[in-house]
Amino acid sequence: METPRDTTSPAQQPAGASSGRRTQAERNATTRAALVEAGRRLFSTKGFADVATDELARAAGVTRGALYHQYDGKSGLFAAVLESVEAEVVARVAGAMDSCAAPEDPAHRLLAGLDAYLDACADPMIHRITLVEGPAALGWRSWREVGHRHAIGLVEESVRALAPPQAPVTALAHVLMGALGEAALYVAAAEDPALAREEARAAVLALVPGLS
């Protein structure tokens, strides 16, 4: 006796019928998340040069082959870790700006963002990955491109709100980003980080009147 053919269209298939593809995507996402988390932990404590791919794979609970499949090795994983940390920093800064005492005031927003940025850079994990290991692992140009891609929009928004209409907003935003990066490095290298933070904060704020 001939077995009837299943003529159910894909749209009519039970929810579990096409779960294989989704399950594989979920497995990939879980593997990538585990590798990024392991990378954040190891790169920020041991440094990029002193972490082996086998150690990263073990810490993530995956095989070395999975690391190469997902990120094409240690450098690719570090790039993903840096992306995740930079995104986290920008989210913290944007949240502080939106929740400050006077979010409608561009000067208050900028001050809140500056404080949040300096606080974030004081975090040992963020400091090590974004300011120390980033340029060493990826090279200065690639490291700078990642930071600018994540933050330049927020900085331009702040500059545009403060500067007169004819001001060169893009150029001013790049200059301000350079000042913020140097401020963070100055604090990171200081023997007295608390004092250096206040000095760096004052130095960046001294530039603000020039924007308007």
Side-chain angles (χ1 to χ4, degrees), residues 38-53 55-56 67-68 71-82 128-130 132-139:
R40 285 166 69 107
R41 184 169 66 254
L42 290 173
F43 291 140
S44 64
T45 54
K46 300 184 67 174
F48 176 81
D50 291 330
V51 178
T53 53
E55 185 177 9
L56 287 163
L67 167 58
Y68 277 89
Y71 290 112
D72 196 27
K74 186 170 72 166
S75 293
L77 175 57
F78 182 87
V81 169
L82 181 62
R128 182 80 184 264
I129 289 176
T130 62
V132 178
E133 302 299 329
L138 301 182

Side-chain angles (χ1 to χ4, degrees), residues 2-17:
E2 183 180 0
T3 303
R5 290 185 297 117
D6 183 1
T7 58
T8 306
S9 68
Q12 296 171 316
Q13 292 280 353

